[in-house]
Amino acid sequence: MRAVEIRGKGGPDVLALVERPVPVCGAGEVLVRVAAAGVNRPDVQQRKGLYPPPPGVTDIPGLDIAGVVQATAADVTWPRPGDAVCALVSGGGYAEFCAVPAQQCMPIPRGFSFAQAATLPEVFFTAWNNVFWLGRIAEGETLLVQGGTSGVGMAAMQMARTLRDATVIATSSAAEKRAVCMEYGAQHTVDYRDADWPDQVRALTGGRGVDVILDGQGGDYTPLEMGLLAMDGRLVLIASHRAPKAEISTRDVYIRRLTLTGSTLRSRPPAYKGRIARELVDQVWPLLEDGRIRTHICGTHRLEHAAAAQAVLDANAQIGKLVLTVSDLAATVPERPR
């Protein structure tokens, strides 16, 4: 099969199209013929040597796929061969075939093409895990999303607004990106390039502060964000693009009953990811199907042009998700039994 491998640490030019053996299903797994794959910032981090795959996971990048099941292990009851699915994977998405635990597979939302479905798993799993499970966003609370036009940001804003009637504040740089944030769930936007952006956020809450913050920057943003939290507020970290260390006031944590937490999903067991998958299909898939929650593709690239797709992420020029089209099925809409 054709696949993209990473040949050393570096820029997009270290990505190379190669021939690899088709993976074999292990217990509890299915083999998917990939039609489309999502391109995510963790793929870039892996290319730079900052986010290696967990032990036993393929070195082929790619964390979400959409395609057709070709084969299953004997112990799998769903999905079955011929079913159209999208799935969160721990690696291997940049390839024509990918083996994935069946628990991490989800039916493709009705009316979605394979390319659209490939934009869903990584960002919606991440947003659900961090905003709804770890952040415990409750009805009517306020959510601050750092980087609202990332795929995770757009998923988080829409789900919080639609499912929890949350007040959503998003940060972004360009005016175009801030306008997109308003289209995808934010009621307020702030330019993080302004030195007084924390004061702007505080003013938007009437001085009360925000209940949940979803952040991938870390570093010097961390103490600023903790200062923006309301009593019992939760700061959830999903990356540390600014810096891996920060100095915070531990006194604030217990005096104001704050929670500082974070996560990565890649090394979580299939059972954990499977619980998220079931909740997404139950609570979010109907909203995708009726248009109350949307996905946004900012560009598609053929598998052999994966380097060009990752270069867009390197330039921070994306709005929403980039997709690799792996087969001619990518643009088609699969039938789904009712």
Side-chain angles (χ1 to χ4, degrees):
M1 69 173 184
R2 296 184 309 147
V4 173
E5 70 178 18
I6 301 171
R7 293 184 169 176
K9 303 173 185 178
D13 58 299
V14 304
L15 299 177
L17 188 69
V18 298
E19 285 291 328
R20 288 283 190 95
V22 174
V24 177
C25 292
E29 292 185 337
V30 302
L31 180 68
V32 177
R33 186 181 188 94
V34 179
V39 180
N40 299 290
R41 199 162 292 282
D43 307 341
V44 172
Q45 296 297 91
Q46 180 176 335
R47 189 196 76 216
K48 294 178 178 179
L50 301 174
Y51 193 43
V57 172
T58 177
D59 64 310
I60 296 171
L63 299 178
D64 43 12
I65 60 169
V68 178
V69 175
Q70 298 295 292
T72 71
D75 60 343
V76 172
T77 58
W78 188 90
R80 303 304 303 162
D83 287 342
V85 298
C86 57
L88 182 73
V89 299
S90 297
Y94 290 21
E96 292 181 308
F97 292 91
C98 185
V100 56
Q103 295 182 72
Q104 295 167 211
C105 293
M106 300 171 291
I108 291 178
R110 290 186 179 90
F112 274 54
S113 68
F114 285 102
Q116 290 174 309
T119 70
L120 303 176
E122 197 271 343
V123 297
F124 279 89
F125 270 77
T126 300
W128 192 265
N129 183 54
N130 289 286
V131 174
F132 285 76
W133 281 12
L134 299 180
R136 308 186 307 278
I137 187 79
E139 187 75 15
E141 288 193 322
T142 300
L143 170 68
L144 170 64
V145 176
Q146 290 281 18
T149 54
S150 68
V152 173
M154 294 171 83
M157 292 189 302
Q158 293 182 89
M159 290 194 298
R161 181 81 179 271
T162 305
L163 294 171
R164 296 292 186 270
D165 193 26
T167 298
V168 178
I169 305 169
T171 69
S172 198
S173 54
E176 175 193 6
K177 289 187 174 184
R178 294 196 297 278
V180 171
C181 289
M182 298 293 285
E183 293 176 19
Y184 282 81
Q187 289 106 320
H188 310 283
T189 61
V190 171
D191 188 341
Y192 61 74
R193 297 173 302 181
D194 293 343
D196 67 343
W197 70 263
D199 293 330
Q200 295 180 42
V201 172
R202 192 173 289 106
L204 288 170
T205 69
R208 173 185 175 275
V210 298
D211 299 291
V212 180
I213 299 176
L214 179 66
D215 177 51
Q217 300 303 314
D220 58 333
Y221 273 23
T222 307
L224 296 175
E225 290 165 341
M226 292 186 69
L228 288 174
L229 289 173
M231 290 288 287
D232 297 297
R234 289 84 73 195
L235 169 58
V236 188
L237 299 173
I238 56 174
S240 54
H241 295 304
R242 290 183 71 86
K245 295 182 179 181
E247 183 174 322
I248 64 170
S249 167
T250 54
R251 186 174 186 273
D252 274 352
V253 173
Y254 64 82
I255 291 293
R256 296 169 51 219
R257 303 188 300 272
L258 306 180
T259 298
L260 172 59
T261 186
S263 75
T264 59
L265 267 174
R266 197 175 191 184
S267 59
R268 286 283 196 177
Y272 184 94
K273 298 172 187 174
R275 295 203 314 272
I276 297 177
R278 291 190 294 273
E279 291 191 10
L280 288 174
V281 171
D282 180 54
Q283 299 185 50
V284 178
W285 261 221
L287 304 177
L288 287 163
E289 292 175 348
D290 69 15
R292 281 180 286 171
I293 291 179
R294 296 176 290 155
T295 188
H296 182 88
I297 297 176
C298 72
T300 60
H301 299 261
R302 298 291 299 179
L303 179 65
E304 57 268 29
H305 299 144
Q310 288 203 5
V312 177
L313 289 177
D314 280 354
N316 197 32
Q318 84 286 356
I319 295 177
K321 285 290 292 279
L322 291 151
V323 174
L324 297 180
T325 57
V326 182
S327 82
D328 292 338
L329 283 176
T332 64
V333 176
E335 292 186 6
R336 180 175 155 193
R338 292 188 175 273

